[in-house]
Amino acid sequence: MLWDAWQNKSADEVIALCRDLVEDTDFPTVKKWKRAGGKVVGHFQVYFPEEIAHAAGMLPVKLRGSQVDRKRADAHFGSYICSIPRSSLELCLSKTLDLDMFVTHPICDVARNLAGIWARNFKYPAQILYLPQNANSKYSARYLRDEYARLARELETIAGRAITTDALANSIRVFNENRRWMRKLYEIKRETPWLLPIDEAFVLVSVGALIPREEHNALLAHVVPQIEKRDAKKQDKIRVVFEGGFCELPPLDLLRVISQSCYVVDDDLHIGLRWILEDVATEGDALLNLADAYLNKSSYSPVQHDLRKPKEKMLLQRLQGAHAQAAIVTAAKMCEPGLDEQVAYSKTFDAHNIPYFISEFEEKMTGFDHMQMQLETFVESILFE
């Protein structure tokens, strides 16, 4: 087992261990995997079909940035971009993350150029996975299936083994189970949010991007029943939805600050890991099944353009489904997709008379007093209205 520190521990102990691992900028589990001879594919936000890499025997690692000192990476970018590509590149330039392949997606102007930057600085392959720009085309599923097949061929070359039909079906089953456990976590957040604050749910999901998914399944199977039995009392807090963590992730301390004033009953943090909302079929063409699930059994984000899932309508449904009283709409600094959506979301909330709190975050934020005061004022305005 790659990481077994959580075994036979209480829920509080497991969550503390997960927090330590998620905040460890040395990525010890990935290093351990490499020392054992394993191959690692690093993929940039938001969604990546990890089942394919898993079926090749590789460890898929989501490049989510990190709170590291950027000594080399900044020289490779212009000034006015978000933090996550800078810190992700820094992790690789410093050999903190030693990859065997890098994959990015054309989700924004910065992300679509990352493969070129990686290719100039590393010897391993750097690829762009072109997810459909027109998700409503009747050919989009077949197109995406062929893109997945191209990706699979690249992964087979690096892994030195074929991705068999049985291996891919098994991987889909493993990830189906994983998504069911994560849906259970979010069910607890919606129904009994006093049992699972946003920062604790965040680390329990985040750790899945650092260990094999079978281990994550075992960890969640161990800790979720304990969380459901916690002896925690409901407090007088408002129920909110947190929106804006689809790509760059907010500092964990920021989430702790929010949890002190609010019950976050739903969010879009690590939405790529939770993108598919139903089990993927294991019979038939597995790559086509994955493509169909991405298009037709999935969530939403500002970086996917699907006329069937208008962002404002989907966010309203998220609030209604979680019985939320308000929304926290945030975005990473310099994130064009996130900041653009803030405008659309604000107009929608104004039209529906829904209270909302607008903010920005940055990966290396350390001071939260000002935001905490503003948020407490916002919460009090709703509680005492």
Side-chain angles (χ1 to χ4, degrees), residues 4 8 23 43 64 70 72 112 125 127 165-166 168 170 190 196 244 257 284 294 303 306 309 343 350 375:
D4 59 2
N8 302 315
E23 292 189 308
H43 58 92
R64 52 184 172 79
R70 297 195 297 263
R72 300 172 60 186
R112 69 166 52 94
Q127 292 280 334
T165 301
D166 288 345
L168 192 50
N170 176 68
R190 284 191 300 272
L196 188 63
V257 166
Y294 170 81
V303 297
D306 188 335
K309 298 187 287 187
V343 177
D350 287 337
L375 185 58

Side-chain angles (χ1 to χ4, degrees), residues 23-38:
E23 292 189 308
D24 191 334
T25 58
D26 201 42
F27 293 83
T29 54
V30 181
K31 282 185 167 64
K32 184 178 178 181
W33 178 271
K34 289 286 289 186
R35 286 196 303 270

Side-chain angles (χ1 to χ4, degrees), residues 298-309:
S298 54
S299 186
Y300 69 96
S301 89
V303 297
Q304 188 204 43
H305 307 288
D306 188 335
L307 296 177
R308 300 168 300 175
K309 298 187 287 187

Side-chain angles (χ1 to χ4, degrees), residues 6 24 41 114 159 181 228 234-235 270 337 369:
W6 55 269
D24 191 334
V41 54
L114 290 181
W181 279 117
E228 292 179 304
K234 182 179 179 180
Q235 298 179 357
H270 279 310
D369 292 344

